[in-house]
Every structure is written in C-alpha cells, then in structure tokens.
PDB file of all heavy atoms in Angstrom:
ATOM      1  N   MET A 857      -7.672 -12.769  16.989  1.00 71.00           N
ATOM      2  CA  MET A 857      -6.549 -11.841  17.067  1.00 71.00           C
ATOM      3  C   MET A 857      -5.962 -11.662  15.675  1.00 71.00           C
ATOM      4  O   MET A 857      -5.692 -12.632  14.981  1.00 71.00           O
ATOM      5  CB  MET A 857      -5.484 -12.374  18.016  1.00 71.00           C
ATOM      6  CG  MET A 857      -5.931 -12.386  19.447  1.00 71.00           C
ATOM      7  SD  MET A 857      -4.693 -13.055  20.565  1.00 71.00           S
ATOM      8  CE  MET A 857      -3.243 -12.175  20.133  1.00 71.00           C
ATOM      9  N   MET A 858      -5.788 -10.406  15.288  1.00 74.00           N
ATOM     10  CA  MET A 858      -5.206 -10.109  13.984  1.00 74.00           C
ATOM     11  C   MET A 858      -4.117  -9.054  14.160  1.00 74.00           C
ATOM     12  O   MET A 858      -4.254  -8.170  14.990  1.00 74.00           O
ATOM     13  CB  MET A 858      -6.263  -9.566  13.026  1.00 74.00           C
ATOM     14  CG  MET A 858      -7.312 -10.538  12.678  1.00 74.00           C
ATOM     15  SD  MET A 858      -8.425  -9.785  11.493  1.00 74.00           S
ATOM     16  CE  MET A 858      -9.500 -11.132  11.164  1.00 74.00           C
ATOM     17  N   THR A 859      -3.104  -9.154  13.362  1.00 71.00           N
ATOM     18  CA  THR A 859      -2.034  -8.176  13.380  1.00 71.00           C
ATOM     19  C   THR A 859      -1.885  -7.610  11.985  1.00 71.00           C
ATOM     20  O   THR A 859      -1.747  -8.350  11.020  1.00 71.00           O
ATOM     21  CB  THR A 859      -0.709  -8.839  13.815  1.00 71.00           C
ATOM     22  OG1 THR A 859      -0.911  -9.438  15.077  1.00 71.00           O
ATOM     23  CG2 THR A 859       0.399  -7.825  13.897  1.00 71.00           C
ATOM     24  N   PHE A 860      -1.952  -6.298  11.906  1.00 70.00           N
ATOM     25  CA  PHE A 860      -1.782  -5.625  10.631  1.00 70.00           C
ATOM     26  C   PHE A 860      -0.484  -4.831  10.673  1.00 70.00           C
ATOM     27  O   PHE A 860      -0.217  -4.138  11.648  1.00 70.00           O
ATOM     28  CB  PHE A 860      -2.953  -4.675  10.343  1.00 70.00           C
ATOM     29  CG  PHE A 860      -4.257  -5.381  10.199  1.00 70.00           C
ATOM     30  CD1 PHE A 860      -5.153  -5.454  11.250  1.00 70.00           C
ATOM     31  CD2 PHE A 860      -4.591  -5.994   9.003  1.00 70.00           C
ATOM     32  CE1 PHE A 860      -6.356  -6.116  11.116  1.00 70.00           C
ATOM     33  CE2 PHE A 860      -5.791  -6.663   8.861  1.00 70.00           C
ATOM     34  CZ  PHE A 860      -6.676  -6.713   9.918  1.00 70.00           C
ATOM     35  N   THR A 861       0.299  -4.952   9.636  1.00 67.00           N
ATOM     36  CA  THR A 861       1.532  -4.183   9.551  1.00 67.00           C
ATOM     37  C   THR A 861       1.592  -3.471   8.216  1.00 67.00           C
ATOM     38  O   THR A 861       0.991  -3.896   7.246  1.00 67.00           O
ATOM     39  CB  THR A 861       2.772  -5.084   9.694  1.00 67.00           C
ATOM     40  OG1 THR A 861       2.742  -6.062   8.669  1.00 67.00           O
ATOM     41  CG2 THR A 861       2.822  -5.753  11.048  1.00 67.00           C
ATOM     42  N   ARG A 862       2.313  -2.387   8.197  1.00 66.00           N
ATOM     43  CA  ARG A 862       2.530  -1.642   6.965  1.00 66.00           C
ATOM     44  C   ARG A 862       4.007  -1.394   6.832  1.00 66.00           C
ATOM     45  O   ARG A 862       4.711  -1.242   7.806  1.00 66.00           O
ATOM     46  CB  ARG A 862       1.808  -0.301   6.996  1.00 66.00           C
ATOM     47  CG  ARG A 862       0.330  -0.444   6.804  1.00 66.00           C
ATOM     48  CD  ARG A 862      -0.347   0.878   6.849  1.00 66.00           C
ATOM     49  NE  ARG A 862       0.180   1.793   5.849  1.00 66.00           N
ATOM     50  CZ  ARG A 862      -0.267   3.010   5.656  1.00 66.00           C
ATOM     51  NH1 ARG A 862      -1.231   3.465   6.398  1.00 66.00           N
ATOM     52  NH2 ARG A 862       0.249   3.782   4.753  1.00 66.00           N
ATOM     53  N   GLY A 863       4.472  -1.296   5.642  1.00 59.00           N
ATOM     54  CA  GLY A 863       5.864  -0.968   5.426  1.00 59.00           C
ATOM     55  C   GLY A 863       6.479  -1.811   4.344  1.00 59.00           C
ATOM     56  O   GLY A 863       5.830  -2.614   3.696  1.00 59.00           O
ATOM     57  N   ALA A 864       7.768  -1.619   4.173  1.00 55.00           N
ATOM     58  CA  ALA A 864       8.481  -2.272   3.080  1.00 55.00           C
ATOM     59  C   ALA A 864       8.436  -3.785   3.190  1.00 55.00           C
ATOM     60  O   ALA A 864       8.245  -4.476   2.199  1.00 55.00           O
ATOM     61  CB  ALA A 864       9.918  -1.784   3.046  1.00 55.00           C
ATOM     62  N   ALA A 865       8.611  -4.317   4.393  1.00 54.00           N
ATOM     63  CA  ALA A 865       8.612  -5.778   4.552  1.00 54.00           C
ATOM     64  C   ALA A 865       7.262  -6.366   4.183  1.00 54.00           C
ATOM     65  O   ALA A 865       7.179  -7.345   3.455  1.00 54.00           O
ATOM     66  CB  ALA A 865       8.979  -6.154   5.981  1.00 54.00           C
ATOM     67  N   CYS A 866       6.213  -5.763   4.671  1.00 53.00           N
ATOM     68  CA  CYS A 866       4.870  -6.258   4.384  1.00 53.00           C
ATOM     69  C   CYS A 866       4.565  -6.123   2.896  1.00 53.00           C
ATOM     70  O   CYS A 866       4.035  -7.028   2.281  1.00 53.00           O
ATOM     71  CB  CYS A 866       3.846  -5.489   5.204  1.00 53.00           C
ATOM     72  SG  CYS A 866       2.161  -6.059   4.950  1.00 53.00           S
ATOM     73  N   GLU A 867       4.916  -4.989   2.315  1.00 53.00           N
ATOM     74  CA  GLU A 867       4.631  -4.757   0.906  1.00 53.00           C
ATOM     75  C   GLU A 867       5.396  -5.725   0.022  1.00 53.00           C
ATOM     76  O   GLU A 867       4.869  -6.264  -0.939  1.00 53.00           O
ATOM     77  CB  GLU A 867       4.980  -3.318   0.530  1.00 53.00           C
ATOM     78  CG  GLU A 867       4.637  -2.991  -0.905  1.00 53.00           C
ATOM     79  CD  GLU A 867       4.904  -1.536  -1.247  1.00 53.00           C
ATOM     80  OE1 GLU A 867       5.136  -0.734  -0.345  1.00 53.00           O
ATOM     81  OE2 GLU A 867       4.882  -1.230  -2.448  1.00 53.00           O
ATOM     82  N   SER A 868       6.662  -5.985   0.358  1.00 54.00           N
ATOM     83  CA  SER A 868       7.447  -6.869  -0.487  1.00 54.00           C
ATOM     84  C   SER A 868       6.942  -8.302  -0.410  1.00 54.00           C
ATOM     85  O   SER A 868       7.040  -9.044  -1.372  1.00 54.00           O
ATOM     86  CB  SER A 868       8.923  -6.805  -0.105  1.00 54.00           C
ATOM     87  OG  SER A 868       9.122  -7.295   1.197  1.00 54.00           O
ATOM     88  N   LEU A 869       6.382  -8.700   0.725  1.00 57.00           N
ATOM     89  CA  LEU A 869       5.828 -10.037   0.833  1.00 57.00           C
ATOM     90  C   LEU A 869       4.513 -10.157   0.070  1.00 57.00           C
ATOM     91  O   LEU A 869       4.246 -11.159  -0.574  1.00 57.00           O
ATOM     92  CB  LEU A 869       5.592 -10.401   2.302  1.00 57.00           C
ATOM     93  CG  LEU A 869       6.846 -10.623   3.135  1.00 57.00           C
ATOM     94  CD1 LEU A 869       6.459 -10.808   4.590  1.00 57.00           C
ATOM     95  CD2 LEU A 869       7.627 -11.813   2.629  1.00 57.00           C
ATOM     96  N   ALA A 870       3.694  -9.127   0.150  1.00 55.00           N
ATOM     97  CA  ALA A 870       2.385  -9.167  -0.491  1.00 55.00           C
ATOM     98  C   ALA A 870       2.490  -8.988  -2.000  1.00 55.00           C
ATOM     99  O   ALA A 870       1.775  -9.623  -2.754  1.00 55.00           O
ATOM    100  CB  ALA A 870       1.477  -8.088   0.087  1.00 55.00           C
ATOM    101  N   ASN A 871       3.369  -8.112  -2.443  1.00 56.00           N
ATOM    102  CA  ASN A 871       3.521  -7.795  -3.865  1.00 56.00           C
ATOM    103  C   ASN A 871       4.998  -7.660  -4.205  1.00 56.00           C
ATOM    104  O   ASN A 871       5.542  -6.568  -4.155  1.00 56.00           O
ATOM    105  CB  ASN A 871       2.803  -6.477  -4.202  1.00 56.00           C
ATOM    106  CG  ASN A 871       1.332  -6.592  -3.998  1.00 56.00           C
ATOM    107  OD1 ASN A 871       0.717  -7.500  -4.519  1.00 56.00           O
ATOM    108  ND2 ASN A 871       0.755  -5.684  -3.221  1.00 56.00           N
ATOM    109  N   PRO A 872       5.654  -8.731  -4.564  1.00 56.00           N
ATOM    110  CA  PRO A 872       7.078  -8.667  -4.855  1.00 56.00           C
ATOM    111  C   PRO A 872       7.423  -7.666  -5.955  1.00 56.00           C
ATOM    112  O   PRO A 872       8.465  -7.067  -5.921  1.00 56.00           O
ATOM    113  CB  PRO A 872       7.436 -10.082  -5.286  1.00 56.00           C
ATOM    114  CG  PRO A 872       6.297 -10.937  -4.882  1.00 56.00           C
ATOM    115  CD  PRO A 872       5.116 -10.066  -4.705  1.00 56.00           C
ATOM    116  N   ALA A 873       6.564  -7.482  -6.938  1.00 54.00           N
ATOM    117  CA  ALA A 873       6.822  -6.530  -8.011  1.00 54.00           C
ATOM    118  C   ALA A 873       5.656  -5.550  -8.080  1.00 54.00           C
ATOM    119  O   ALA A 873       4.655  -5.793  -8.739  1.00 54.00           O
ATOM    120  CB  ALA A 873       6.979  -7.262  -9.345  1.00 54.00           C
ATOM    121  N   PRO A 874       5.736  -4.413  -7.358  1.00 50.00           N
ATOM    122  CA  PRO A 874       4.622  -3.468  -7.376  1.00 50.00           C
ATOM    123  C   PRO A 874       4.398  -2.902  -8.771  1.00 50.00           C
ATOM    124  O   PRO A 874       5.347  -2.779  -9.553  1.00 50.00           O
ATOM    125  CB  PRO A 874       5.049  -2.366  -6.404  1.00 50.00           C
ATOM    126  CG  PRO A 874       6.512  -2.515  -6.231  1.00 50.00           C
ATOM    127  CD  PRO A 874       6.852  -3.936  -6.549  1.00 50.00           C
ATOM    128  N   PRO A 875       3.154  -2.587  -9.103  1.00 51.00           N
ATOM    129  CA  PRO A 875       2.865  -2.057 -10.429  1.00 51.00           C
ATOM    130  C   PRO A 875       3.537  -0.708 -10.634  1.00 51.00           C
ATOM    131  O   PRO A 875       3.724   0.046  -9.696  1.00 51.00           O
ATOM    132  CB  PRO A 875       1.335  -1.921 -10.434  1.00 51.00           C
ATOM    133  CG  PRO A 875       0.942  -1.866  -9.008  1.00 51.00           C
ATOM    134  CD  PRO A 875       1.970  -2.654  -8.257  1.00 51.00           C
ATOM    135  N   SER A 876       3.888  -0.410 -11.877  1.00 52.00           N
ATOM    136  CA  SER A 876       4.515   0.873 -12.162  1.00 52.00           C
ATOM    137  C   SER A 876       3.478   1.978 -12.049  1.00 52.00           C
ATOM    138  O   SER A 876       2.286   1.762 -12.174  1.00 52.00           O
ATOM    139  CB  SER A 876       5.119   0.862 -13.569  1.00 52.00           C
ATOM    140  OG  SER A 876       4.093   0.647 -14.514  1.00 52.00           O
ATOM    141  N   GLY A 877       3.971   3.170 -11.782  1.00 49.00           N
ATOM    142  CA  GLY A 877       3.064   4.308 -11.723  1.00 49.00           C
ATOM    143  C   GLY A 877       2.726   4.744 -10.315  1.00 49.00           C
ATOM    144  O   GLY A 877       1.858   5.567 -10.118  1.00 49.00           O
ATOM    145  N   GLY A 878       3.389   4.235  -9.315  1.00 47.00           N
ATOM    146  CA  GLY A 878       3.123   4.738  -7.973  1.00 47.00           C
ATOM    147  C   GLY A 878       3.277   3.682  -6.905  1.00 47.00           C
ATOM    148  O   GLY A 878       3.386   2.501  -7.191  1.00 47.00           O
ATOM    149  N   ALA A 879       3.276   4.142  -5.709  1.00 45.00           N
ATOM    150  CA  ALA A 879       3.428   3.252  -4.560  1.00 45.00           C
ATOM    151  C   ALA A 879       2.108   2.563  -4.240  1.00 45.00           C
ATOM    152  O   ALA A 879       1.038   3.067  -4.548  1.00 45.00           O
ATOM    153  CB  ALA A 879       3.895   4.056  -3.350  1.00 45.00           C
ATOM    154  N   ARG A 880       2.198   1.405  -3.636  1.00 46.00           N
ATOM    155  CA  ARG A 880       0.997   0.684  -3.217  1.00 46.00           C
ATOM    156  C   ARG A 880       0.460   1.215  -1.897  1.00 46.00           C
ATOM    157  O   ARG A 880      -0.714   1.164  -1.648  1.00 46.00           O
ATOM    158  CB  ARG A 880       1.383  -0.761  -2.992  1.00 46.00           C
ATOM    159  CG  ARG A 880       0.998  -1.708  -3.834  1.00 46.00           C
ATOM    160  CD  ARG A 880       0.268  -2.497  -4.580  1.00 46.00           C
ATOM    161  NE  ARG A 880      -0.717  -3.328  -3.989  1.00 46.00           N
ATOM    162  CZ  ARG A 880      -1.904  -3.407  -4.497  1.00 46.00           C
ATOM    163  NH1 ARG A 880      -2.250  -2.711  -5.518  1.00 46.00           N
ATOM    164  NH2 ARG A 880      -2.761  -4.193  -3.970  1.00 46.00           N
ATOM    165  N   TRP A 881       1.355   1.675  -1.031  1.00 43.00           N
ATOM    166  CA  TRP A 881       0.939   2.139   0.298  1.00 43.00           C
ATOM    167  C   TRP A 881       1.006   3.647   0.351  1.00 43.00           C
ATOM    168  O   TRP A 881       1.823   4.278  -0.268  1.00 43.00           O
ATOM    169  CB  TRP A 881       1.855   1.547   1.373  1.00 43.00           C
ATOM    170  CG  TRP A 881       1.758   0.076   1.444  1.00 43.00           C
ATOM    171  CD1 TRP A 881       2.579  -0.828   0.818  1.00 43.00           C
ATOM    172  CD2 TRP A 881       0.789  -0.692   2.121  1.00 43.00           C
ATOM    173  NE1 TRP A 881       2.183  -2.095   1.082  1.00 43.00           N
ATOM    174  CE2 TRP A 881       1.077  -2.050   1.892  1.00 43.00           C
ATOM    175  CE3 TRP A 881      -0.302  -0.389   2.918  1.00 43.00           C
ATOM    176  CZ2 TRP A 881       0.333  -3.080   2.422  1.00 43.00           C
ATOM    177  CZ3 TRP A 881      -1.040  -1.416   3.450  1.00 43.00           C
ATOM    178  CH2 TRP A 881      -0.727  -2.730   3.202  1.00 43.00           C
ATOM    179  N   SER A 882       0.135   4.200   1.128  1.00 43.00           N
ATOM    180  CA  SER A 882       0.112   5.646   1.267  1.00 43.00           C
ATOM    181  C   SER A 882       0.018   6.000   2.744  1.00 43.00           C
ATOM    182  O   SER A 882       0.286   5.197   3.601  1.00 43.00           O
ATOM    183  CB  SER A 882      -1.055   6.221   0.475  1.00 43.00           C
ATOM    184  OG  SER A 882      -1.031   7.630   0.546  1.00 43.00           O
ATOM    185  N   HIS A 883      -0.431   7.175   3.013  1.00 45.00           N
ATOM    186  CA  HIS A 883      -0.509   7.699   4.368  1.00 45.00           C
ATOM    187  C   HIS A 883      -1.963   7.813   4.819  1.00 45.00           C
ATOM    188  O   HIS A 883      -2.881   7.570   4.059  1.00 45.00           O
ATOM    189  CB  HIS A 883       0.175   9.067   4.415  1.00 45.00           C
ATOM    190  CG  HIS A 883      -0.323   9.974   3.336  1.00 45.00           C
ATOM    191  ND1 HIS A 883       0.076   9.835   2.029  1.00 45.00           N
ATOM    192  CD2 HIS A 883      -1.213  10.970   3.345  1.00 45.00           C
ATOM    193  CE1 HIS A 883      -0.537  10.732   1.290  1.00 45.00           C
ATOM    194  NE2 HIS A 883      -1.320  11.431   2.062  1.00 45.00           N
ATOM    195  N   HIS A 884      -2.144   8.186   6.037  1.00 48.00           N
ATOM    196  CA  HIS A 884      -3.468   8.409   6.617  1.00 48.00           C
ATOM    197  C   HIS A 884      -4.356   7.171   6.586  1.00 48.00           C
ATOM    198  O   HIS A 884      -5.570   7.275   6.435  1.00 48.00           O
ATOM    199  CB  HIS A 884      -4.185   9.587   5.943  1.00 48.00           C
ATOM    200  CG  HIS A 884      -3.458  10.872   6.085  1.00 48.00           C
ATOM    201  ND1 HIS A 884      -3.398  11.561   7.278  1.00 48.00           N
ATOM    202  CD2 HIS A 884      -2.726  11.590   5.208  1.00 48.00           C
ATOM    203  CE1 HIS A 884      -2.690  12.647   7.109  1.00 48.00           C
ATOM    204  NE2 HIS A 884      -2.259  12.685   5.873  1.00 48.00           N
ATOM    205  N   GLY A 885      -3.766   5.994   6.718  1.00 48.00           N
ATOM    206  CA  GLY A 885      -4.540   4.781   6.909  1.00 48.00           C
ATOM    207  C   GLY A 885      -5.266   4.214   5.712  1.00 48.00           C
ATOM    208  O   GLY A 885      -6.181   3.441   5.870  1.00 48.00           O
ATOM    209  N   HIS A 886      -4.903   4.608   4.520  1.00 46.00           N
ATOM    210  CA  HIS A 886      -5.542   3.979   3.367  1.00 46.00           C
ATOM    211  C   HIS A 886      -4.511   3.696   2.285  1.00 46.00           C
ATOM    212  O   HIS A 886      -3.432   4.263   2.274  1.00 46.00           O
ATOM    213  CB  HIS A 886      -6.706   4.818   2.824  1.00 46.00           C
ATOM    214  CG  HIS A 886      -6.275   6.104   2.190  1.00 46.00           C
ATOM    215  ND1 HIS A 886      -6.103   7.257   2.901  1.00 46.00           N
ATOM    216  CD2 HIS A 886      -6.003   6.404   0.904  1.00 46.00           C
ATOM    217  CE1 HIS A 886      -5.740   8.227   2.085  1.00 46.00           C
ATOM    218  NE2 HIS A 886      -5.661   7.741   0.866  1.00 46.00           N
ATOM    219  N   SER A 887      -4.867   2.814   1.384  1.00 49.00           N
ATOM    220  CA  SER A 887      -3.934   2.459   0.319  1.00 49.00           C
ATOM    221  C   SER A 887      -4.446   2.974  -1.013  1.00 49.00           C
ATOM    222  O   SER A 887      -5.620   3.259  -1.177  1.00 49.00           O
ATOM    223  CB  SER A 887      -3.756   0.942   0.260  1.00 49.00           C
ATOM    224  OG  SER A 887      -4.970   0.327  -0.034  1.00 49.00           O
ATOM    225  N   HIS A 888      -3.526   3.075  -1.950  1.00 48.00           N
ATOM    226  CA  HIS A 888      -3.863   3.513  -3.292  1.00 48.00           C
ATOM    227  C   HIS A 888      -3.615   2.360  -4.244  1.00 48.00           C
ATOM    228  O   HIS A 888      -2.524   1.825  -4.299  1.00 48.00           O
ATOM    229  CB  HIS A 888      -2.995   4.710  -3.702  1.00 48.00           C
ATOM    230  CG  HIS A 888      -3.232   5.913  -2.866  1.00 48.00           C
ATOM    231  ND1 HIS A 888      -4.148   6.862  -3.197  1.00 48.00           N
ATOM    232  CD2 HIS A 888      -2.695   6.300  -1.691  1.00 48.00           C
ATOM    233  CE1 HIS A 888      -4.152   7.801  -2.276  1.00 48.00           C
ATOM    234  NE2 HIS A 888      -3.283   7.482  -1.335  1.00 48.00           N
ATOM    235  N   GLY A 889      -4.616   1.977  -4.956  1.00 51.00           N
ATOM    236  CA  GLY A 889      -4.482   0.883  -5.905  1.00 51.00           C
ATOM    237  C   GLY A 889      -3.986   1.381  -7.249  1.00 51.00           C
ATOM    238  O   GLY A 889      -3.757   2.564  -7.460  1.00 51.00           O
ATOM    239  N   PRO A 890      -3.843   0.482  -8.190  1.00 54.00           N
ATOM    240  CA  PRO A 890      -3.389   0.857  -9.531  1.00 54.00           C
ATOM    241  C   PRO A 890      -4.367   1.828 -10.199  1.00 54.00           C
ATOM    242  O   PRO A 890      -5.569   1.717 -10.031  1.00 54.00           O
ATOM    243  CB  PRO A 890      -3.348  -0.454 -10.292  1.00 54.00           C
ATOM    244  CG  PRO A 890      -3.577  -1.537  -9.317  1.00 54.00           C
ATOM    245  CD  PRO A 890      -4.091  -0.930  -8.057  1.00 54.00           C
ATOM    246  N   GLY A 891      -3.827   2.795 -10.884  1.00 52.00           N
ATOM    247  CA  GLY A 891      -4.658   3.737 -11.639  1.00 52.00           C
ATOM    248  C   GLY A 891      -5.148   4.924 -10.854  1.00 52.00           C
ATOM    249  O   GLY A 891      -5.860   5.765 -11.389  1.00 52.00           O
ATOM    250  N   THR A 892      -4.780   5.047  -9.579  1.00 52.00           N
ATOM    251  CA  THR A 892      -5.232   6.216  -8.809  1.00 52.00           C
ATOM    252  C   THR A 892      -4.244   7.356  -9.006  1.00 52.00           C
ATOM    253  O   THR A 892      -3.052   7.153  -9.178  1.00 52.00           O
ATOM    254  CB  THR A 892      -5.348   5.894  -7.321  1.00 52.00           C
ATOM    255  OG1 THR A 892      -4.092   5.442  -6.849  1.00 52.00           O
ATOM    256  CG2 THR A 892      -6.412   4.863  -7.071  1.00 52.00           C
ATOM    257  N   ARG A 893      -4.763   8.547  -8.983  1.00 58.00           N
ATOM    258  CA  ARG A 893      -3.923   9.731  -9.150  1.00 58.00           C
ATOM    259  C   ARG A 893      -3.388  10.182  -7.814  1.00 58.00           C
ATOM    260  O   ARG A 893      -4.066  10.067  -6.798  1.00 58.00           O
ATOM    261  CB  ARG A 893      -4.734  10.841  -9.790  1.00 58.00           C
ATOM    262  CG  ARG A 893      -5.177  10.517 -11.177  1.00 58.00           C
ATOM    263  CD  ARG A 893      -5.879  11.659 -11.854  1.00 58.00           C
ATOM    264  NE  ARG A 893      -6.341  12.678 -10.913  1.00 58.00           N
ATOM    265  CZ  ARG A 893      -7.221  13.588 -11.200  1.00 58.00           C
ATOM    266  NH1 ARG A 893      -7.751  13.646 -12.403  1.00 58.00           N
ATOM    267  NH2 ARG A 893      -7.607  14.486 -10.321  1.00 58.00           N
ATOM    268  N   PRO A 894      -2.173  10.745  -7.784  1.00 58.00           N
ATOM    269  CA  PRO A 894      -1.640  11.288  -6.522  1.00 58.00           C
ATOM    270  C   PRO A 894      -2.514  12.442  -6.057  1.00 58.00           C
ATOM    271  O   PRO A 894      -3.091  13.188  -6.857  1.00 58.00           O
ATOM    272  CB  PRO A 894      -0.247  11.778  -6.902  1.00 58.00           C
ATOM    273  CG  PRO A 894       0.070  11.139  -8.211  1.00 58.00           C
ATOM    274  CD  PRO A 894      -1.234  10.821  -8.875  1.00 58.00           C
ATOM    275  N   HIS A 895      -2.637  12.577  -4.769  1.00 52.00           N
ATOM    276  CA  HIS A 895      -3.398  13.686  -4.195  1.00 52.00           C
ATOM    277  C   HIS A 895      -2.850  13.999  -2.809  1.00 52.00           C
ATOM    278  O   HIS A 895      -2.070  13.260  -2.253  1.00 52.00           O
ATOM    279  CB  HIS A 895      -4.894  13.341  -4.123  1.00 52.00           C
ATOM    280  CG  HIS A 895      -5.190  12.160  -3.263  1.00 52.00           C
ATOM    281  ND1 HIS A 895      -5.115  10.868  -3.735  1.00 52.00           N
ATOM    282  CD2 HIS A 895      -5.528  12.074  -1.966  1.00 52.00           C
ATOM    283  CE1 HIS A 895      -5.414  10.041  -2.769  1.00 52.00           C
ATOM    284  NE2 HIS A 895      -5.676  10.725  -1.677  1.00 52.00           N
TER     285      HIS A 895
END
C-alpha cells in the first residue's frame, strides 16, 4: 500500500528550500525539475 500526495505540505517536507527559477510541482500529473522551461 502506498499513498502519494501533492501540494504545499508534501513539497515543504520533501524540499524545504525549493530551487530558484520555478515551482517543483506542476499540473497534469508530472513534475518539473530544475532547469526546465515553462510550457
């Protein structure tokens, strides 16, 4: 059994200081890592 969550609480626990230049989480079920361009 696994539980996956998304949102501010999950993000702040996983990465207390997100990298500059964009959000770590995005929409449509995928994430954007460092260095990706907005689309």
Side-chain angles (χ1 to χ4, degrees):
M857 292 178 50
M858 294 183 177
T859 303
F860 296 98
T861 59
R862 285 180 57 178
C866 182
E867 183 176 348
S868 65
L869 290 173
N871 296 308
S876 61
R880 252 304 300 134
W881 296 95
S882 183
H883 51 284
H884 299 287
H886 68 273
S887 62
H888 296 269
T892 58
R893 295 185 342 196
H895 61 275

